[in-house]
Amino acid sequence: MSAPETFTPEPLVVTESALRKVRNLIEEEANDDLKLRVFVTGGGCSGFQYGFTFDELAAEDDAVVEKDGVTVLVDVMSYPYLMGATVDYEEGLAGSKFVVQNPNADSTCGCGSSFSI
C-alpha cells in the first residue's frame, strides 16, 4: 500500500477567462517572460484593494501558480489575503477587468475592487 498523496491548495484559482486574457496580453507584448502578479494594497473604500501588474521575474518568496502556460505570482504579504480566492476576467457593459472573488473578505465595495477582512 502506498503512502497517501499530500495536497497543497493553490493560493489562487485562475479561471479560463482570466487565463485567456493573460495569454492575449502576453502575445500583444511579444514577451513570453511576462507573469501576472496579483497583489493586495492598503486603500480603497473598504480598506484593502486588489492590484494587477505584469512582472518578468518572480521573487524568491512569491507563491507561483502555473496553469496552461500562464504564470500568476502572489507576493508573501498578499498571500494570506488571497488564499483560496478566484481571479476571473469579466467583460460587460461597464467595461472589462480582472476581478477577485475572495472568500476571506468580510465585505466588498460596490465595484468589487476593494474589500475588508
Side-chain angles (χ1 to χ4, degrees):
M1 184 184 243
S2 63
E5 290 183 39
T6 54
F7 175 73
T8 304
E10 290 184 300
L12 287 174
V13 174
V14 185
T15 67
E16 185 56 41
S17 177
L19 291 170
R20 188 171 33 254
K21 183 61 178 179
V22 171
R23 272 191 231 101
N24 289 342
L25 292 169
I26 290 171
E27 287 174 11
E28 286 177 17
E29 292 296 318
N31 184 350
D32 291 338
D33 293 333
L34 291 178
K35 300 154 186 50
L36 178 67
R37 179 173 295 281
V38 182
F39 58 93
V40 172
T41 60
C45 48
S46 294
F48 294 102
Q49 60 188 5
Y50 302 110
F52 303 91
T53 189
F54 280 101
D55 276 340
E56 290 184 351
L57 300 172
E60 190 174 298
D61 57 356
D62 280 340
V64 178
V65 176
E66 293 179 338
K67 186 173 181 184
D68 297 335
V70 172
T71 302
V72 179
L73 307 172
V74 178
D75 66 85
V76 69
M77 297 298 284
S78 300
Y79 185 89
Y81 299 106
L82 292 171
M83 186 66 180
T86 299
V87 176
D88 196 10
Y89 184 76
E90 296 178 349
E91 295 182 29
L93 295 175
S96 56
K97 63 184 176 178
F98 286 101
V99 294
V100 177
Q101 288 106 27
N102 191 342
N104 304 307
D106 287 337
S107 64
T108 59
C109 67
C111 67
S113 66
S114 70
F115 67 101
S116 66
I117 300 274

